[in-house]
Amino acid sequence: EHGDHVGNKGVIGPGGVQWMTAGRGIVHSEFPKSKGDEMLWGFQLWINLPAKDKMCRPRYQDYQADSIPVAEVSGSTGCSV
């Protein structure tokens, strides 16, 4: 569950992702939500923006698994992109 000081809120489900650009600053919180003793796994990737983009407006977007395209690859089960 995501919440931030500019009013963005979101909950991502299994296979979903969130994209947050801190830009000139954003105060946020992330709280994992599970059903009972369910094990949760997450992954974070931080990218250093080019100097010209560092002071951009903060942004947040979440994407649920069913909205993420899957590329069919010959001899494979597919790849989410």
Side-chain angles (χ1 to χ4, degrees), residues 29-73:
S29 62
E30 310 298 331
F31 292 100
K33 294 185 97 171
S34 69
K35 299 173 184 168
D37 293 334
E38 178 183 35
M39 177 72 74
L40 298 176
W41 293 89
F43 176 78
Q44 289 187 339
L45 176 64
W46 293 70
I47 299 173
N48 189 15
L49 294 173
K52 68 180 183 61
D53 298 324
K54 287 190 184 289
M55 296 305 287
C56 69
R57 178 181 57 83
R59 294 184 297 265
Y60 169 83
Q61 179 72 48
D62 59 46
Y63 299 93
Q64 301 304 326
D66 62 356
S67 69
I68 300 172
V70 175
E72 298 299 326
V73 180

Side-chain angles (χ1 to χ4, degrees), residues 2 12 15 18 21 29 44 65 81:
H2 169 91
I12 56 172
Q18 63 178 207
T21 303
S29 62
Q44 289 187 339
V81 293

